[in-house]
Amino acid sequence: MSLKDLSKTSMNKSKRIFSGVQPSGDLHIGNYLGAIKNFVSLQKEYECFFCVVDLHAITVWQDPQQLAHKTREVTAAFIASGIDSDKNVLFSQSQVPQHAQLAWIFSCVARMGWLNRMTQFKDKAGKDKENVSVGLFSYPTLMAADILVYLATHVPVGEDQKQHLELTRDIAQKFNNDFKTDLFPVPEPLIFGEGARVMSLRDGTKKMSKSDSSDYSRIMLNDTADEIVQKIRKAKTDPHTLPANMKEAYKRPEAFNLLSIFASFNNKSTEDVVEQYAGKEFSSFKKDLADVIVDKIDPIGKEMQKLIDDKPYLDGIMKKGKEKAIYVADSVLSKVYDVVGFSKT
Ligand code: AMP
Ligand code: TRP
């Protein structure tokens, strides 16, 4: 997509996608199934902005030596997974200052009570509320700015981001009401079935996460085929054979998680997979599961490495993406400035 093709402020109300992924650790199959795999399908239909959200990442400490590298890694993962860098806008959040500028305005629109309800903040802050960064608390206002500075209408995310999306909708509506405008669309979350909530391989009640201390809890996009096989072999199960039906599967979180992962990689429903493996041994199912994950993930990991090794190529893509992103974001932000009443002199 050239600059000319970008609908600058999307005032024609065409559909536009925005989504972000943090460069705060290695990407795992939760990120892939919950988000990136869906980005790949959506690019056919929508104008898409995919952003590596490094401003979000620093809400918790990030090693400065590592951050730029991790940002490149996520960009490489997007491309290696099949996102077309010509057709879509791929860029890093910190390079487009309009995100932070709009986030400030939104932090004056959002209410303390709204942010106080965010369960992700409560989970991440835990008992250490007094000691976490202010940014970790106000994080959802930046997320709203990411989306709305492009007037995005649809946001593909995993289930864990649903509440942040609801807050984004509240902010868009309150801004429009307060300033008597219809500038912002009220964006829709796009949360897709089976992969929307991938759980830890060590504990089927906990989300698969970059920050889990156990490497065996997740499969990374850059794991080797052997590592994938090992991790699936060691994945926690229960002493029974595979569940006979969905009702039983719901009661057995580890089995349910592995069945859903298998379903998502095969573009099937969990129900179909439960039926397919009902009463079978975990050992044979785990072999099939490892095979499909290796089949899908191993080529992505290898392609990612090739891209990461070609720094000028990746940097070129991000530079082009940044220019396109600024082109749109700047035009939306200048409308916001007018609406809010900021003096131009
Ligand atoms: P993050 O790594 O937190 O920036 O997440 C990037 C994207 O991956 C977001 O859309 C998340 O909702 C999604 N995601 C993260 N962890 C999981 C998971 N365990 N299952 C499904 N989606 C996930
Ligand atoms: N908060 C998201 C996460 O932790 C990442 C993110 C930041 C995002 N800005 C966004 C996702 C905008 C979708 C849209 O996963």
Side-chain angles (χ1 to χ4, degrees):
M1 197 190 335
S2 73
L3 270 185
K4 223 168 65 215
D5 299 329
L6 279 170
S7 40
K8 208 171 183 183
T9 59
S10 193
M11 285 312 185
N12 56 10
K13 303 279 182 223
S14 66
K15 294 178 186 170
R16 181 180 279 169
I17 292 272
F18 181 94
S19 197
V21 176
Q22 297 192 50
S24 51
D26 291 329
L27 294 177
H28 50 71
I29 57 168
N31 299 123
Y32 178 73
L33 298 176
I36 301 172
K37 173 175 170 249
N38 303 319
F39 300 172
V40 177
S41 330
L42 290 163
Q43 64 183 337
K44 295 188 197 101
E45 218 185 306
Y46 294 87
E47 182 180 35
C48 298
F49 290 71
F50 297 124
C51 182
V52 187
V53 289
D54 50 357
L55 295 177
H56 275 94
I58 64 158
T59 54
V60 297
W61 172 252
Q62 300 298 326
D63 179 353
Q65 307 286 329
Q66 287 287 317
L67 188 57
H69 178 71
K70 297 259 168 232
T71 299
R72 251 183 251 112
E73 254 178 22
V74 176
T75 313
F78 285 163
I79 301 167
S81 302
I83 294 172
D84 180 340
S85 63
D86 277 333
K87 206 166 158 276
N88 305 287
V89 185
L90 305 185
F91 65 105
S92 130
Q93 186 186 27
S94 61
Q95 300 310 298
V96 182
Q98 288 81 3
H99 290 235
Q101 289 173 282
L102 185 57
W104 176 256
I105 296 171
F106 284 171
S107 68
C108 300
V109 173
R111 306 288 96 180
M112 286 295 286
W114 299 359
L115 287 167
N116 269 328
R117 284 195 285 276
M118 295 296 112
T119 53
Q120 184 173 293
F121 175 74
K122 289 182 204 162
D123 292 346
K124 287 200 173 171
K127 292 196 181 74
D128 204 22
K129 250 199 196 129
E130 295 297 310
N131 255 326
V132 295
S133 72
V134 174
L136 192 68
F137 181 72
S138 61
Y139 172 117
T141 61
L142 176 59
M143 182 160 161
D146 297 339
I147 297 164
L148 294 170
V149 85
Y150 301 99
L151 305 182
T153 54
H154 293 79
V155 185
V157 279
E159 181 81 32
D160 61 336
Q161 296 302 312
K162 198 168 167 202
Q163 197 184 29
H164 291 160
L165 249 297
E166 275 155 19
L167 191 102
T168 300
R169 291 166 61 85
D170 290 342
I171 290 177
Q173 273 163 336
K174 181 161 170 23
F175 183 97
N176 287 348
N177 276 337
D178 288 354
F179 294 100
K180 308 206 171 10
T181 172
D182 62 357
L183 179 60
F184 291 122
V186 180
E188 298 286 340
L190 296 175
I191 297 173
F192 297 90
E194 322 304 320
R197 194 165 172 78
V198 177
M199 310 309 274
S200 157
L201 300 181
R202 308 300 305 157
D203 177 351
T205 62
K206 246 172 66 186
K207 193 181 78 165
M208 184 176 286
S209 145
K210 290 169 182 167
S211 54
D212 195 309
S213 58
S214 165
D215 272 353
Y216 276 89
S217 69
R218 57 185 169 252
I219 291 172
M220 313 292 199
L221 296 191
N222 54 7
D223 276 347
T224 63
D226 282 350
E227 283 166 333
I228 295 173
V229 171
Q230 276 302 321
K231 287 180 180 181
I232 291 299
R233 197 176 292 151
K234 291 204 167 161
K236 188 174 168 207
T237 52
D238 52 41
H240 310 289
T241 55
L242 281 150
N245 51 45
M246 281 301 271
K247 198 166 158 231
E248 200 191 308
Y250 282 133
K251 291 188 204 139
R252 295 169 55 189
E254 280 81 23
F256 185 79
N257 186 38
L258 296 181
L259 289 158
S260 300
I261 294 173
F262 185 85
S264 184
F265 272 112
N266 283 301
N267 297 316
K268 287 185 172 174
S269 69
T270 307
E271 212 162 352
D272 284 348
V273 175
V274 167
E275 199 179 309
Q276 184 184 343
Y277 285 95
K280 299 219 166 102
E281 297 293 334
F282 270 106
S283 53
S284 70
F285 168 66
K286 279 186 166 183
K287 196 181 160 307
D288 294 353
L289 177 59
D291 281 351
V292 68
I293 302 179
V294 170
D295 212 43
K296 295 274 156 69
I297 295 303
D298 191 49
I300 294 179
K302 288 187 174 134
E303 182 61 20
M304 264 175 80
Q305 196 50 54
K306 260 200 235 155
L307 291 162
I308 291 164
D309 291 341
D310 192 349
K311 184 167 177 290
Y313 175 73
L314 267 190
D315 287 354
I317 286 175
M318 303 214 28
K319 182 165 179 286
K320 198 174 63 180
K322 158 186 160 174
E323 283 160 9
K324 290 178 182 172
I326 288 179
Y327 177 79
V328 177
D330 193 50
S331 133
V332 174
L333 189 70
S334 93
K335 290 202 162 47
V336 175
Y337 271 35
D338 282 346
V339 169
V340 172
F342 289 150
S343 157
K344 289 205 173 95
T345 51

